Amino acid sequence: MNIVILSRNAHLYSTRRLIEEGEKRGHKLEVIDPLRCDIIIEKERPRIYYKDRYLDYVDAVIPRIGASVTFYGCAVVRQFEMMNVFTTASSEAILKSRDKLKSLQILSKAGIGMPKTVFTNYSRDVEEVVAHVGGTPLIIKLLEGTQGLGVVLAETKNAAESVLEAFNGLQARVIVQEFIKEAKGADLRALVVDGQVVGAMKRQGKEGEFRSNLHRGGSANIINLNDAEIAVAMRASKALKLPVCGVDMLQSARGPLLLEVNSTPGLEGIEAATEKNIALNIISYIEQNHIQ
């Protein structure tokens, strides 16, 4: 098969691993920068032009689109869909997962547990917002934040008020969530492929850091998920129609609580922690589901 990885950086670990495993299976893999693609729209003849050629030979696409290029990247994925090319993540599913508010609404409707969350239209009634999530400490998240950026822990009502006022002044939209103290600065990342959990790790924030992101100095170790945690990961994947995704959860006194679903999960941390060949799982998923 001719498989295209939509990525702006061919040297990233995840991209290199997918190329390595795909070539071992006899496929031809190519990394294409979605921002350099021209979308050609005409009656019954959707096409994509890249550099000096039309991409009319592609059998499958693996979107590895960064949050900063979501709009155009998804437009390119959508065009491949119009060309009947198989993709590991649909454009619509990527857009839903990148919209924190929309994805939480969908996941809540699906009956998945999550921290109490409040979204308001620049509300000045901070006391009411704090009460809705059970008081302080609480978490304030920018809707557009990634990799732990734009996430603030407000330990007191005064701190919450100051942060919310600052974000409101910048007209930055945020969600407010309860702080799960018993998680102790750790979360779980489950990697789902073809709707099944193929690997999981526990990420622990460095000392004094409530965010567990590996990009922020956190550490990761393999973990065996319990039945409830596996169920949450699989239901989240199904609810957002993302057969390949990373599902982040917290361990709480009332069971696993979902944080978010990542449509472009990195492979380096989880392959190192689990010593599992996640890249091969993704290539195998394409082989099993691509329609010749």
Side-chain angles (χ1 to χ4, degrees):
M1 279 190 290
N2 291 306
I3 302 174
V4 159
I5 302 174
L6 287 176
S7 172
R8 302 207 66 206
N9 188 347
H11 303 293
L12 292 175
Y13 175 92
S14 300
T15 304
R16 289 188 286 106
R17 285 287 296 122
L18 289 165
I19 292 171
E20 180 182 341
E21 293 303 328
E23 290 180 344
K24 283 182 182 177
R25 302 281 292 180
H27 305 301
K28 182 178 180 181
L29 282 90
E30 181 179 8
V31 179
I32 285 179
D33 182 350
L35 296 191
R36 300 187 66 182
C37 292
D38 294 331
I39 297 172
I40 314 298
I41 302 172
E42 58 181 313
K43 183 179 179 181
E44 297 180 351
R45 200 184 179 193
R47 290 180 294 169
I48 297 175
Y49 190 77
Y50 180 73
K51 292 185 177 179
D52 58 352
R53 63 194 183 281
Y54 289 101
L55 301 181
D56 53 6
Y57 53 87
V58 179
D59 297 305
V61 170
I62 304 174
R64 302 287 308 175
I65 297 167
S68 62
V69 297
T70 296
F71 176 80
Y72 197 80
C74 283
V76 173
V77 175
R78 190 181 307 114
Q79 189 74 349
F80 274 116
E81 292 169 339
M82 297 302 104
M83 296 161 59
N84 296 317
V85 175
F86 178 81
T87 176
T88 57
S90 72
S91 56
E92 185 63 26
I94 296 171
L95 287 170
K96 285 180 181 177
S97 70
R98 291 282 165 83
D99 185 331
K100 282 188 175 68
L101 178 61
K102 186 173 185 177
S103 64
L104 288 176
Q105 289 174 311
I106 293 170
L107 294 164
S108 174
K109 177 67 174 178
I112 296 172
M114 60 188 65
K116 293 177 184 176
T117 303
V118 176
F119 176 72
T120 68
N121 189 35
Y122 306 127
S123 172
R124 295 185 181 277
D125 193 346
V126 177
E127 190 170 336
E128 186 175 273
V129 172
V130 171
H132 280 314
V133 297
T136 55
L138 54 78
I139 303 292
I140 301 172
K141 294 181 181 180
L142 277 173
L143 285 180
E144 295 81 16
T146 60
Q147 297 179 353
L149 297 174
V151 181
V152 178
L153 170 63
E155 299 194 68
T156 66
K157 180 177 173 292
N158 287 339
E161 185 172 354
S162 296
V163 174
L164 286 171
E165 285 178 351
F167 281 138
N168 288 347
L170 295 170
Q171 294 192 330
R173 296 195 179 275
V174 299
I175 56 175
V176 180
Q177 289 187 323
E178 68 171 314
F179 178 64
I180 307 300
K181 183 178 181 180
E182 60 266 33
K184 298 179 180 178
D187 71 7
L188 308 180
R189 161 64 65 91
L191 210 299
V192 177
V193 178
D194 201 7
Q196 302 295 315
V197 175
V198 296
M201 62 180 174
K202 184 171 186 176
R203 304 182 299 187
Q204 179 68 57
K206 62 183 180 181
E207 188 174 352
E209 174 62 72
F210 71 95
R211 293 166 292 187
S212 59
N213 305 73
L214 300 185
H215 292 87
R216 309 200 65 81
S219 59
N221 295 288
I222 188 172
I223 187 172
N224 293 317
L225 301 182
N226 60 36
D227 290 345
E229 292 158 351
I230 292 172
V232 165
M234 292 170 60
R235 288 169 66 189
S237 167
K238 183 178 180 180
L240 290 181
K241 299 180 180 178
L242 278 170
V244 178
C245 62
V247 180
D248 297 341
M249 299 171 278
L250 293 176
Q251 292 177 308
S252 81
R254 60 182 190 268
L257 301 177
L258 187 138
L259 287 175
E260 65 179 348
V261 179
N262 191 324
S263 59
T264 312
L267 303 183
E268 185 170 11
I270 198 157
E271 285 199 335
T274 64
E275 298 184 352
K276 292 185 177 181
N277 194 335
I278 307 297
L280 177 58
N281 290 140
I282 295 173
I283 297 299
S284 297
Y285 166 66
I286 294 173
E287 293 172 343
Q288 294 164 12
N289 290 272
H290 167 253
I291 300 174
Q292 300 288 346

